[in-house]
Amino acid sequence: MVIEVAKRLRKHPEWDVERAAQEAENVSRSVKMCFVPETLEFLRAGGRVSNGAALAGSLLKIHPRIEIRDGYLQAAKKHRGTMMKIVPKLVKDYIEEQQLAKDEIYLIWSPGLEEKMRKAAEEAAYESGVKKVTWVRIGGVITCHGGPGAFGIAGFSDN
């Protein structure tokens, strides 16, 4: 978001502080982001998932899609299967569902995400019409919830 606002400010040096603040708010409302953890263990340890739900989710290979909505982490959908199957599908589905602008999207990863999954995610993005993919290593907040091998996608909504 900060980079996008900086690009717009560079493009419009005539904007005053009020106009720049308004544009920053517009950009923040258009940001869409989600991630899928490799394991439910970190969500369980953080108290966001019960022991029983973590065990059942692990046995059934369920990976919740966590979205950031209005500044809060919320489980939005459950994906079932291996991360290798989930990651490219998530990229395609999220781009379409959220109507993300295709000039650039951000693919988010934590250490432990296999290289073949990164390649599959990038291919899915380009197949969806994305022009530029920027990889971002996740920070502390998502890492403490998603743990190693977590994957996410972020972009700006066209609407």
Side-chain angles (χ1 to χ4, degrees):
M1 185 185 108
V2 172
I3 293 167
E4 182 62 27
V5 172
K7 286 177 187 176
R8 294 178 188 197
L9 288 173
R10 200 171 310 132
K11 203 184 253 187
H12 297 281
E14 74 279 3
W15 286 353
D16 61 13
V17 172
E18 288 80 21
R19 177 66 177 97
Q22 178 186 6
E23 192 63 23
E25 292 218 11
N26 292 340
V27 169
S28 74
R29 280 192 291 277
S30 74
V31 173
K32 305 294 180 195
M33 187 266 179
C34 74
F35 72 95
V36 176
E38 166 82 34
T39 173
L40 295 175
E41 190 57 33
F42 285 75
L43 290 170
R44 186 203 58 77
R48 298 202 179 258
V49 172
S50 70
N51 288 339
L55 177 61
S58 183
L59 292 172
L60 296 172
K61 295 184 180 178
I62 293 174
H63 302 268
R65 179 167 89 190
I66 312 294
E67 293 186 13
I68 298 179
R69 295 182 183 163
D70 301 321
Y72 296 97
L73 295 173
Q74 298 178 348
K77 203 174 189 180
K78 292 180 179 113
H79 298 273
R80 190 155 184 258
T82 65
M83 287 292 279
M84 189 62 205
K85 176 183 149 194
I86 292 168
V87 165
K89 183 168 177 16
L90 174 65
V91 170
K92 289 180 177 180
D93 290 351
Y94 200 71
I95 289 169
E96 184 179 324
E97 289 168 16
Q98 300 299 321
Q99 299 176 345
L100 297 183
K102 294 183 179 178
D103 55 329
E104 182 175 20
I105 63 161
Y106 302 86
L107 297 180
I108 304 160
W109 65 283
S110 69
L113 185 71
E114 295 179 33
E115 186 61 32
K116 65 183 177 183
M117 282 188 257
R118 289 182 63 164
K119 287 180 182 176
E122 202 164 312
E123 287 173 11
Y126 289 127
E127 287 171 9
S128 296
V130 172
K131 293 179 182 90
K132 181 180 178 187
V133 170
T134 300
W135 282 94
V136 178
R137 184 174 169 176
I138 62 175
V141 172
I142 296 172
T143 299
C144 76
H145 291 90
F151 171 80
I153 179 173
F156 297 98
S157 177
D158 277 340
N159 38 335

